[in-house]
Each structure stands twice: as C-alpha cells, then as structure tokens.
Amino acid sequence: MAAPGAHATGPRPARAVGLSSAEVAERVARGQVNDVPVRSSRSAREIVRANVFTRFNAIIGVMFGIILVVGPIQDGLFGLVIVANTAIGIVQELRAKKTLDSLALIGEAKPQVRRDGSAQTVPTGQIVLDDTVLLGIGDKVVVDGLVTEADGLEIDESLLTGEPDPVLKHPGAEVMSGSFVVAGAGAFTATRVGRQAYAAQLAEEASRFTLVRSELRTGIDQILRFITYLLIPTAIGLIISQLAVEGSDWREAVRRMVAGIVPMVPEGLVLLTSVAFAIGVIRLGRKQCLVQELPAIEGLARVDTVCLDKTGTLTEGGMDLIELRPLRRGGAGPASADRTRPDRAHPDRAHPDGTHPDPPDPDGSHPDRAALEQALAAMGGADSRPNPSMQAVIDAFGAPEDGRWRVLEAMPFSSARKWSGVQLLEPQGSEAGWLLGAPDVLLPAGDPALAEVDELGAKGLRVLLLGRTPVALDSPEATARLEPLALLVLQQRLRADAADTLRYFEGQQVRAKVISGDSAISVGAVASHLGLPGGEQPVDARTLPEGGEELAEVADRTSVFGRVTPQQKRELVAALQARGHTVAMTGDGVNDVLALKDADIGVAMGTGSDATRAVAQIVLLDDRFATLPSVVAEGRRVIGNIERVANLFLVKTVYSVLLALLVVITQVPYPFLPRHSTVLSTLTIGVPAFFLALAPNSERARTGFVRRVLRLAVPGGVIAGTATFTSYMLARADDVTDLEADTSVATLTLFLVAMWVLAIVARPYTWWRLLLIATMGGAFALVLVVPWLSDFFQLSLAGTRDPWVGVGIALVAGLALEVVWRVIVRRGDA
C-alpha cells in the first residue's frame, strides 16, 4: 500500500472498505467462517484411549482378572499398580495438553482485516468469506483469495510449489494459503475459508500433536516387539508346566503362572517415556517455550550443530541510526561528515570541528545534508511496513515536511534486491529515484566507499547506502546509473544473553554457525564480539561453491556466513546434514523458513513471522535465545533418564523370561507368587524408576540407544535369573520341603541382585540417589521383619543356612555385574 500522495503507475482499484459488521454476522450465520480448529495436542479422548487400551495393559488386565477369580487379593496388587501408572500417564498428558493448548493460543497468528473501513486484528478462525485481509512483510496468507491492493507485493509460494523465487502479485492475482509475504504490502479478498482453504491442511500439519519418529521411541518399539515374540511361547510353556506341577491345587498353579508372566511385560517403560516427555513440555512451557512436537526436545538434545540467524537471534530487532556520512560526488569517499547522531532540529549547524556541511550545488544535482535528511524522511514516510533499518531512519528524521518532497511511487525493501526505493518529486522540480540498500550491492566492485563500509562493518556496525538515480525504479537498470550520496551507519542491539548461550553450546560440544543475509564482515564482527570460535573468518556466501562435497567441506569448517540467500541457507543445512550432523536452525524472518523446514529441528522466535512459527517444531514465545539451553537440558534429561530406567525394566524382563524357561525345563513350581513380583518390581524398579526418570541429567545425548541398553540388560538379566534360580534350587534341596521358605530365599536373592543393578544404574551417586537406594532396602527389610507385612506378602526366612547362601550367591552375582559394567559397558562407551 503506497504512502499517501503516491501515484502508482497504471489504473488501480479503489481501496475496499471491507465488510460491515452486519455482513460479517450474516456470513458467520451461514457457516462461511474459517473455523477450522487448530489442534496443538491430542484430544482428551485420544489421551485416555492411548494410555488405557494398549496390548500390554490388555495382558496385565487379563492376568488381574484371573487373580480376582482365584484370589487372594494381595496377589492382584500388580493390577492396582498398572491402574495407578495409567492414571498418572493420563493426568500428566492432560496437563501437557492444557499447557500446549494455552501456549498455542498465545502463539496463534492474528491477521489484520479491514471491516467497516478500519483495520482490525482478529483470530484466524474468525475470518469470513469476502473479508479484506491485509498483508505486510512476514505475514502468512491464512486463507485463499484474490489480490485487491498491491504495493510491490511479493509472495513466496515455496511451501506450496517448491519454487524459491518470490512471485510479484498484482491486483486480481490469486494468493494461496500457506504462502507468505517477503516484500511489499497489499490486501486480498478471501474467496475460500474453512476446510475449503489449503490453510486448513497446512495449519493442521504444523500445529498438531504428533509423535514423530525418534531414536528413543523407535528403539523402545523394537525392544517391545522382540519381547512380545518371546512372551507368547514362554507364557504357554509356563502355563502347561505349572498346571502339571500343581495338578492337585489348580489355583496355586494359576497364581504362580501369573507371577511368571506379569514381570515379563515392561509396561512401565513406555509409560515413563510418555510421562517424561509430557513433564518436559510442561517445564518448557513455563519458560514460554512452545514445543509443537513432543520428541522435538529429544531431537534438540541430539543436535551437534546449531545454525543461527544473526538478526532476531543474536541481536534484538531494534536498531539505532548513529551517523549519516555524506559522500563526495561519484562516491569517491566521505565528505566532511558530521560524526554525531543526526539532529533534525539543527540540520545546518556547524560540525564539532568547526567545519560546515557541503553547500548545495548550484544545479541541485548533489543534495546537501538537509536535503539528504528530507529525502530520507520522505522515504520513511512512504514505507507502510518499515523494517528495523527503515524504522531507525524514521526515528532519526521524523516525518517529511509537507509539500516539499512528493512521493510518486514507492518500492518496498526486498531481500532479493537488497534495497528499497522511492520516486520523488524534489523541491526544485526535478524527479529522481532514491534508493536505500546494501552498499556492496548498489556500488560497483572497487568503489572507494566500500573500504569505509568494510571498516565500519568490521566494528559490527550496519551500513546502508543512500543513492539517487534518474532511471525508473521498476527498470532492470535502476542501480546502473546510481549516484552514491551518503552512508547511513546503524548499530544493532546485541541480546544480553547471546554470549552466555554461545558459551553454553561450546561447552556442550555443539557447534554454532551464524548464517545471515547481512554482509559477511558485519556478521563476523558481531560473532567475534560474542566470542564465537571462527567468527573472525567470515565467508561471503556469494563465493560459495554450488552444492556437492565442496560446499559440504566449506559448510563444515566455517562458522560465519554472510550475504546468504534463503535458498543458500537451505543448501547449507543440507550440506551439514550430508556430513552426518544433526542440525538445528533458528530464525525469525521469512528468509529462514526454507532452512527451518529442512533442518532436523526448527526453532522460531515468537515475534517472528507467521510462516516461521508454522514450520518450526519449537517456538520461543518470548524471543529469548537463552531458552535454548533449557530445551537442550530438558531433552538430555529425558534421553539419559529413560536410558537409565530402560535398563531396570529390561533386566527384569530378561530374568523373568529366563526363570520361566528354567521352570519349564526343570518342572518345578515357579519360585514366586504375584505378590512377590509386585514387591520386587515396586522396590527395585517402579519407585526408583519414577524418581530417576524425572531427575536432572546433563549427559550428552548419543546414538545407539538399543545397543547400549541391551549391553547391560541382557547379561544383567541372565546373572540375576541364574543367581535366583540357583538359590531357589539349593533351598529346595533340603530334606524338608517348605515352598514358602524356598520362595522367600529366592525373593531375598533376587531383591539383592536387583538392588545391585539399581545401584549401578543410579551412578554417579548423589545424596538423594544414595538415600533412594537405602530407602528401598529399608522398605524390603520392613516387609521381612514386620509380622503383618511378612504374612501379607507370604515371606518368611526359615533357618540361617539357606538365607545366607542366598546372600552369598547374590554377592557373587553382584561382582559379576560389576565385571559386566566395567568390561562390557564402560569399555563400550570409551
């Protein structure tokens, strides 16, 4: 939308006043409204169904039902644990859903529409058919429509067509939802809303609660699938053997059969994984970090390369114009420049050194300082959607003086052109185009002014060139006959937390790379100021090789890139991924969208464009770059802790399968009742796993989850099962057969070995982990010594020989576990 007084070339439609309130109400009543719900999480019904109706809950539920029939009820305690754990999972996910839904509402795009002749901000779901929707730089087209107003309006349709080049839109052109504005401004009339618009599919895909593939989830699924294959034949053999052994007491046979089957199912592993993810999302949500896909926190924890966009990430959005430097004719260098901040109140005052600005040329061909400031003021007034650089110009020079400088045509800034411009009717009656943009784009190579630009850029300053041309703005030769007039020196505002965040990534062995559209020297200066390794050696992306191994080599060894186009950002991300890196990309502008979409993890700023928020997995709603370490730490906590508890659950599965097989082979009663499995699982796995899964953990995420877990789980389970069955059979070898006493010895042995496994998994020790281990040991001691508890769990240690034999066997098993830990596990990690 051109500024007041602008005269666009060719006929233009009259500015639409938009729908009236009555017309909006009429369309709402007819259902012609964009009321497609954007889901940020699963529904409550889906959460309940996902946590209740699982194959493992079905197995446990059947076993629980059997125990309810044969009794006693204490043998069915495992069923109550499953119910409690499932309830915890449902409650935690419902809490996560509430947080996600509220945060998604905060981060939801709210476009502007024109109604009753004025602009109004409305939620996306309240746009109706025939609404006039306003567009500016960075806005996403949320419904389909036809353009009614266009002022240099350029739309990027790459998310729809894959074509990276923006499309210039004129009145009458079609715009599709899912595209976004990269330059100019305009308006369009909504022609398709709701489920008829492509935005319905895009928004659903971008905002939906999704359990995307991750190494953690994939690894657990592989393990559980394998266990299922073992479970069925083992359970069948166990059922037959126990019915044969306990033929005279079928109820006892059924109880011991259930006791053998239940521990094989690592039902808590999946549950604790979901709970850990859900709690992680809640914790990050409290820090104003919206996780749009739950495994994204795991993904960022696995990232080894973070690509940062300088503007909006390392620097704040605002800028200050600190200096206006007029150039001599022909751009041969600076004139006697005023080295102070521009002063609108005294444009003709003397310089601090006593000199005066250049006097105006007799023919007016080379404007003086006052004229430059007036022209800049006119350029600022003509920009309806100023970017930070133009806003700094507006802040410095204010509004143009009425009538002296008339805007005939305006061309907003385009990231493809790297400049903006206006066609001005100057006070002396001449007409010329005034351009403001990147000096290295507007000036020819070797121009003397570029040396000064580089000098300023090396200090971390941003420099724009103001020039004047007799050529029309829409001409391909608009910059060919440009007369450089002045340099504008701007200072970016560095984020206070940027340096600390970069140091955090460096300490975590995560390489940070700055990929920016600004000049390489300026970006390098900012990176060096923040202490980024390699910041002093920036690379201009215009010199990069085109694809292939050569580009991957440069991308891998370089830390700072400048003058990067949106397509090159995408190519750099792909090149790093080709080198085996897991890449995260942060950004806030539309030029970051392609790279955000292709990166392993996309991180968008909350105040960035709608398009970046739509494609990112993580959105920093408060724009705090310093939140990223929290996301990494949360992901590492989840990954590290789930790996810990996976060891506990899978050791139990392995020793349960081994015990069942040994019982089937030897045709002896299964050594445990369900109540024994309950107390063992609760004290050595259930309660400790809950605390370990939620504890702090800063271990760096690594690949190979399944391999590392099985390295301890398989030998650990074999050792535990062998030790337990050995003590059980030695106890049965007594002259007097007492099944309860034999079971008690086996329970004691297995508890001690399982506690040793817990002690290994809990390393390195902290006070609360030692307290946790001691508490579990004390709880089991109470079960043995308190009469009503020992009666309830049917545990009684008879004599001294068998219990001490069990303790000795457990000690030997513990030493074997230490050998496994030090030889197999520790060496494998080296």
Side-chain angles (χ1 to χ4, degrees), residues 70-115:
V70 301
I73 191 61
Q74 54 262 45
D75 281 332
L77 290 179
F78 65 88
L80 299 180
V81 173
I82 296 302
V83 172
N85 286 344
T86 303
I88 290 172
I90 293 173
V91 170
Q92 292 292 355
E93 284 209 48
L94 288 176
R95 289 182 60 191
K97 169 184 168 55
K98 182 179 179 181
T99 303
L100 283 170
D101 289 347
S102 62
L103 290 177
L105 185 61
I106 294 172
E108 182 185 5
K110 293 186 178 180
Q112 281 193 331
V113 299
R114 190 182 296 132
R115 293 177 180 173

Side-chain angles (χ1 to χ4, degrees), residues 288-345:
Q288 293 297 295
C289 175
L290 171 59
V291 181
Q292 301 202 101
E293 299 183 19
L294 292 189
I297 58 177
E298 174 196 347
L300 192 55
R302 296 191 186 279
V303 160
D304 59 18
T305 305
V306 178
C307 296
L308 311 169
D309 178 50
K310 177 177 69 68
T311 305
T313 303
L314 301 179
T315 62
E316 295 180 348
M319 301 188 73
D320 295 319
L321 178 61
I322 61 172
E323 191 175 342
L324 174 64
R325 293 190 178 187
L327 298 173
R328 297 192 184 99
R329 296 177 184 84
S336 300
D338 184 354
R339 303 293 181 179
T340 61
R341 186 182 176 90
D343 190 341
R344 283 282 299 153

